């Protein structure tokens, strides 16, 4: 426990251990801060505990994490995490640590104290720079919402209070990168240029098919292999490990509908994929983070019987060694198949996210089908 260095002496910083009572307070803070925010969706408490625990999140197999609370008296007024992803360090050799899970009252002293604690912890472990927020990994929730507060966030996307971005900047952090979320009305017809592209004759050995649930584990391994290859040149990329793939397969099995998950094969080899998931946030928005005693019944009924109207494409990619025309057309073929099946299932809107601001090829594809950019999330950086 330390006092806030160089700031408000009434603020003290406390390290938090997973599984402790302090961790319950760490998790609970956003529920209080967003109590009057109609567009915030309370995450499931069970999911939060599992994500933040080394016992259940394979991210901790290649990362070190410390959680911090900011307190004024006995009251929790802010929180932050600091983490070192050794898989990313090994890949880039740049001594960059991460921060995440940022939440705080609208108080510059609190935000300054949180970043001072995170920076001290990272610097003591040899880091020279911090980037974030990542909650906890770049492959999980990424970025701080800086545009698009008028709609609730979708599955695995964040939603931050509008004052937080300016407070972060006042703490000395600057923009590192923006990532975008696009919203697509799937009732719209594809533009003529896109339709012409996907209706031209295709190679005889090309097959675009639904995910095979009878081979679920193998299919997720193929998807991970394509993802790690397709995204390997992107800013901040950290590959999904075998353990993370296994955990992802387990956690997504309830949500995945094979009619919304498509794989393209050339000569029997998987080379591209897209996964669209029902927007869990739409189904849990009024549960207050609790599944029991009745929340689980409501959730299953909404997902399996009533259905939801929104969905998100969090995973999509084409292998880099797929050349020429196929590299350009495969994303459109996959999106079109997902779109048609989603319409039959009663969906109205699909979010495609997140997309790096400088990923021009993917942005062109998404914008070509008629999607509109409606949320911006920002990654910040600062020397430590």
């Amino acid at each position: 426990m330390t006092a806030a260095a160089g700031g408000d002496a009434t603020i003290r910083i406390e390290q938090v251990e997973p599984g402790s009572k302090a961790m319950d307070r760490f998790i609970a803070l956003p529920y209080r801060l967003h109590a009057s925010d109609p567009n915030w969706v309370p995450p499931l408490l069970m999911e939060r505990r599992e994500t933040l625990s080394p016992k259940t999140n394979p991210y901790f197999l290649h990362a070190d994490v410390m959680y911090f609370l900011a307190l004024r008296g006995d009251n929790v007024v802010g929180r932050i995490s600091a983490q070192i992803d050794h898989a990313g360090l090994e890949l880039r050799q740049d001594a960059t640590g991460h921060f995440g899970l940022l939440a705080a009252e609208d108080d510059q002293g609190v935000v300054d104290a949180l970043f001072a604690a995170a920076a001290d912890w990272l610097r003591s472990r040899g880091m020279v720079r911090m980037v974030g927020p990542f909650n906890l990994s770049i492959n999980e929730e990424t970025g701080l919402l800086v545009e698009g507060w008028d709609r609730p966030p979708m599955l695995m996307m964040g939603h931050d209070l509008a004052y937080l971005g300016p407070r972060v900047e006042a703490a000395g952090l600057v923009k590192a990168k923006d990532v975008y979320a696009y919203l697509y009305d799937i009732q719209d017809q594809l533009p003529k240029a896109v339709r012409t592209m996907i209706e031209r004759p295709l190679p005889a050995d090309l097959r675009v098919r639904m995910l095979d649930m009878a081979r679920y584990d193998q299919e997720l391994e193929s998807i991970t292999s394509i993802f790690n290859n397709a995204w390997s040149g992107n800013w901040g990329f950290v590959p999904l490990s075998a353990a993370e793939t296994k955990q992802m397969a387990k956690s997504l099995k309830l949500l995945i509908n094979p009619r919304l998950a498509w794989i393209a094969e050339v000569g029997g080899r998987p080379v591209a994929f897209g996964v669209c998931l029902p927007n869990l946030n739409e189904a849990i928005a009024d549960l207050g983070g609790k599944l029991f005693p009745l929340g689980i019944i409501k959730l299953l009924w909404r997902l399996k019987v009533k259905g939801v109207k929104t969905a998100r494409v969090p995973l999509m990619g084409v292998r880099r060694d797929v050349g020429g025309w196929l590299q350009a057309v495969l994303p459109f073929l996959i999106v079109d198949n997902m779109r048609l099946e989603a319409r039959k299932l009663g969906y109205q809107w699909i979010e495609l996210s997140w997309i790096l601001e400088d990923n021009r090829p993917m942005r062109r594809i998404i914008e070509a089908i008629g999607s509109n950019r409606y949320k911006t999330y920002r990654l910040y950086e600062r020397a430590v």
Side-chain angles (χ1 to χ4, degrees), residues 198-257:
I198 64 177
E199 288 180 350
R200 66 190 294 184
L202 300 172
D205 61 348
L206 171 64
R207 179 189 180 204
V208 183
R209 60 171 179 81
M210 293 181 190
L211 183 142
D212 183 357
M213 292 299 289
R215 300 177 54 253
Y216 180 72
D217 289 341
Q218 297 96 308
E219 295 279 66
L220 265 290
E221 288 175 5
S222 294
I223 284 172
T224 301
S225 176
I226 299 169
F227 172 85
N228 284 342
N229 176 274
W231 285 64
S232 60
N234 285 354
W235 177 89
F237 168 75
V238 177
L240 286 168
S241 67
E244 286 168 319
T245 299
K246 184 177 180 180
Q247 176 69 15
M248 179 176 67
K250 178 182 176 182
S251 63
L252 294 183
K253 196 164 189 178
L254 176 66
L255 291 177
I256 283 185
N257 184 327

Side-chain angles (χ1 to χ4, degrees), residues 109-248:
V110 172
V111 175
D112 290 345
L114 289 169
F115 278 110
D120 287 347
W121 187 87
L122 291 169
R123 185 170 55 250
S124 71
R125 286 155 181 80
M127 301 297 102
V128 300
R129 173 175 171 260
M130 64 179 173
V131 178
F134 300 115
N135 305 335
L136 292 161
S137 162
I138 194 171
N139 296 322
E140 298 175 78
E141 289 183 10
T142 293
L144 186 82
L145 184 67
V146 296
E147 180 182 50
W149 293 278
D150 58 328
R151 287 177 181 258
M154 293 211 190
L155 168 75
M156 294 180 65
M157 296 295 284
H159 185 81
D160 303 286
L161 292 162
Y163 62 74
L164 200 52
R167 292 294 187 191
V168 170
E169 293 172 12
L173 286 89
V174 298
K175 172 186 168 181
K177 195 76 65 174
D178 279 350
V179 299
Y180 299 145
Y182 286 83
L183 195 61
Y184 177 37
D185 184 347
I186 62 171
Q187 303 304 317
D188 292 343
Q189 297 300 314
L190 289 178
K192 183 178 179 180
V194 175
R195 177 60 59 190
T196 299
M197 178 185 293
I198 64 177
E199 288 180 350
R200 66 190 294 184
L202 300 172
D205 61 348
L206 171 64
R207 179 189 180 204
V208 183
R209 60 171 179 81
M210 293 181 190
L211 183 142
D212 183 357
M213 292 299 289
R215 300 177 54 253
Y216 180 72
D217 289 341
Q218 297 96 308
E219 295 279 66
L220 265 290
E221 288 175 5
S222 294
I223 284 172
T224 301
S225 176
I226 299 169
F227 172 85
N228 284 342
N229 176 274
W231 285 64
S232 60
N234 285 354
W235 177 89
F237 168 75
V238 177
L240 286 168
S241 67
E244 286 168 319
T245 299
K246 184 177 180 180
Q247 176 69 15
M248 179 176 67

Side-chain angles (χ1 to χ4, degrees), residues 151 154-155 183-187 260 276-284 301-313 338-339 341-351 374:
R151 287 177 181 258
M154 293 211 190
L155 168 75
L183 195 61
Y184 177 37
D185 184 347
I186 62 171
Q187 303 304 317
L260 300 178
C276 183
L277 297 174
N279 178 24
L280 181 67
N281 282 4
E282 184 182 336
I284 68 170
W301 182 76
R302 290 165 180 172
L303 288 177
K304 300 298 184 180
V305 181
K306 179 185 177 183
V308 295
K309 299 299 182 184
T310 55
R312 178 181 172 229
V313 178
M338 287 192 295
R339 178 183 71 90
E341 292 301 317
R343 287 173 63 174
K344 294 175 187 175
L345 292 167
Y347 290 93
Q348 174 72 42
W349 300 96
I350 289 178
E351 179 179 288
Y374 82 121

Side-chain angles (χ1 to χ4, degrees), residues 17-19 23 27 46-61 65 67 101 136 247:
E17 295 297 329
M23 176 54 74
I27 291 172
M46 178 184 298
E47 182 275 332
R48 288 291 82 192
R49 292 188 184 104
E50 290 181 352
T51 296
L52 303 185
S53 173
K55 296 180 180 179
T56 47
N57 187 346
Y59 170 75
F60 289 84
L61 296 175
V65 181
Y67 305 112
L101 298 165
L136 292 161
Q247 176 69 15

